[in-house]
Amino acid sequence: MSDAVMPAAKKMLDFAIDGVPMQAVDGQTVIQAARANGVEIPHFCWHPQLSVPGNCRICMVEIEQDSGDPWFDIACNMPVTAGMRVLTKSEKIKTLNQDTMQFITLNHPVDCGVCNKSGECLLQDYHYELNGAASKSRDPKTHATKFFPLSDRIMLDNERCIMCTLCVRFTNEVSGSKALGAVNRGDHALIRPAEDADFNLDVYSDNVIDLCPVGALLSTELMTHARVWYLQATKSVCPGCERGCSIDVWHRKHEWKLNALDPRLNTTIDRITPHENPEVNGLWVCNKARDLAQLFERPRAEQSLQRGAPVDLSAAIAAAAKLMAAAKKPVAIVSSWGSNEELAAFHAAFGTTVPGFVKADHLPLPGEVIEDHLLIKPDKNPNRKAALALYPALPERVSDALPADTDVVLVWGEGFDSALVPSGAKVIRLDSYAHAANSTADVFIPISVQTERNGHYTNFKGVVTPFEACFPVKPSIVHAEALFTALAAGTPV
């Protein structure tokens, strides 16, 4: 029998919400216990991973305990006790909710029809669900600056801000930049950059856009670009570093397809948001993930080439397969952006016959944060761990991997200089993007990108996360997973 000390079981408390018996873990607040039991209590300023200021008061509940008189309290800061009875829909709570919404919208423009947050705005939802009445105030609304730039990336509409302070607490408690604060008091209070900080330097700044429960914090890139009901989210993985954060890639729904002259407008990435994954990134992603459209939507390579001359895809595959079959000393340079499935297919096709070495497809960009306390990792490739499980890393002295008698070099992905290939060796390149090296290869074959295929990445901790295709692949482009089998067998895809 093991002498290991087992952790003490958490004490469970019996309580009830709206007459339904439930259990809570000792120490949970009412709003936490309610969510754990599938009951949603309205909230603006509360967030499960931020401190509790209790300033919006919309989570007010009625509480009964033992035989004492009932009282009202905010669910976000009220611990559950044994035998507690919580009422969230009593007539008194409905009145309190309505009065609270009247107060919160006192100076809010309630401009849902034109608001960028419309369709996913808590204030819009609660206004219709809990209030639904016109303002009782006889005084005109207090006006404030409509568009105040908090940074180059984020615009603040002060009139929509309800001073929940989620954005301020995020910079204090999560990103650590302490770049935002509140100035003035009452209905003159405003969110503003801190005097001694620069919000542009907060590499997690865009998370405040998601946190904002109203349409006050807006992405300057997206504020005039699209509305949420035009878009759909596809689960994916950020390839920006070895963390492999789970993300949602938002793109236009087919039913809202644009009849534009440029069909590419229907296959663009409109925004990136974090997809909650407790094992990898929790609720956050860095700004590099938000900017993935710039990475994925670089000029693509869509034409197969043979010694720089355009050829059709099947001819290029046949030529590459012929080179591989005739090679006596072939070497493969393996991509660390390939999916687990592509790596497995590559290993199945060439694993015992072609020596392979893993390269870094991408290195840190000038000025990029290399590593930090939260999510950002130094290796800027999403799947190097899985690739290194099959092949060794490309040595610093490349000639150790590519001896002078190498006769064919198969280069998969970006980040490899053709000048390193031994003189006289044939080069086969497989890439997704337009690079000058494509036309100097003996055979170039364009392959799909992550947003055009399904697959999995294994991050630096060994956590495997799936990604899904957002867009169709063009006929002139081939999936690498299918291509490797064809190259080894010398057959068309």
Side-chain angles (χ1 to χ4, degrees), residues 64 90 123 181 202 280 295 304 324 407:
E64 299 172 341
S90 68
L123 183 132
D202 188 331
V280 178
L295 180 67
S304 299
M324 292 299 294
D407 55 358

Side-chain angles (χ1 to χ4, degrees), residues 183-409:
V183 299
N184 303 331
R185 302 178 69 179
D187 58 5
H188 293 285
L190 298 168
I191 301 298
R192 286 291 181 268
E195 289 183 353
D196 56 350
D198 184 350
F199 202 30
N200 283 309
L201 301 180
D202 188 331
V203 293
Y204 295 93
S205 65
D206 286 21
N207 287 283
V208 303
I209 299 170
D210 304 330
L211 284 171
C212 182
V214 298
L217 294 175
L218 306 169
S219 164
T220 54
E221 176 74 19
L222 300 174
M223 58 190 297
T224 59
H225 194 63
R227 288 289 189 265
V228 65
W229 53 83
Y230 295 149
L231 308 177
Q232 67 182 85
T234 297
K235 293 179 182 177
S236 193
V237 178
C238 174
C241 79
E242 59 185 325
R243 171 77 61 179
C245 292
S246 292
I247 56 174
D248 284 323
V249 177
W250 293 79
H251 49 96
R252 186 164 286 268
K253 293 177 180 175
H254 179 73
E255 57 266 36
W256 286 103
K257 180 180 177 183
L258 291 168
N259 292 318
L261 293 176
D262 187 350
R264 291 175 296 180
L265 293 174
N266 292 307
T267 55
T268 57
I269 297 172
D270 288 296
R271 70 170 179 171
I272 301 286
T273 54
H275 189 94
E276 183 176 0
N277 186 342
E279 290 187 279
V280 178
N281 55 293
L283 294 168
W284 323 115
V285 292
C286 71
N287 289 352
K288 185 175 183 180
R290 308 278 182 170
D291 296 335
L292 283 182
Q294 299 172 19
L295 180 67
F296 282 130
E297 294 172 0
R298 288 176 290 154
R300 291 291 303 276
E302 300 177 357
Q303 174 64 59
S304 299
L305 303 170
Q306 195 166 356
R307 289 182 290 280
V311 294
D312 64 37
L313 180 61
S314 58
I317 294 173
K322 186 177 179 180
L323 286 177
M324 292 299 294
K328 291 183 170 55
K329 294 282 187 179
V331 174
I333 307 300
V334 177
S335 171
S336 49
W337 279 55
S339 68
N340 290 353
E341 292 77 6
E342 290 171 327
L343 288 166
F346 188 92
H347 193 259
F350 301 114
T352 58
T353 56
V354 179
F357 297 91
V358 178
K359 65 171 168 37
D361 287 38
H362 285 211
L363 297 173
L365 298 173
E368 181 178 357
V369 174
I370 305 298
E371 187 173 16
D372 73 355
H373 69 289
L374 190 55
L375 297 176
I376 300 172
K377 298 297 292 181
D379 188 342
K380 306 309 177 186
N381 301 277
N383 214 26
R384 186 116 70 134
K385 185 179 182 69
L388 290 174
L390 298 173
Y391 295 99
L394 185 65
E396 189 171 340
R397 194 169 66 178
V398 176
S399 59
D400 290 344
L402 297 173
D405 59 347
T406 302
D407 55 358
V408 171
V409 180

Side-chain angles (χ1 to χ4, degrees), residues 166-196:
L166 283 168
C167 55
V168 176
R169 282 176 281 143
F170 176 83
T171 64
N172 286 338
E173 301 166 14
V174 179
S175 72
S177 68
K178 300 182 179 179
L180 297 179
V183 299
N184 303 331
R185 302 178 69 179
D187 58 5
H188 293 285
L190 298 168
I191 301 298
R192 286 291 181 268
E195 289 183 353
D196 56 350

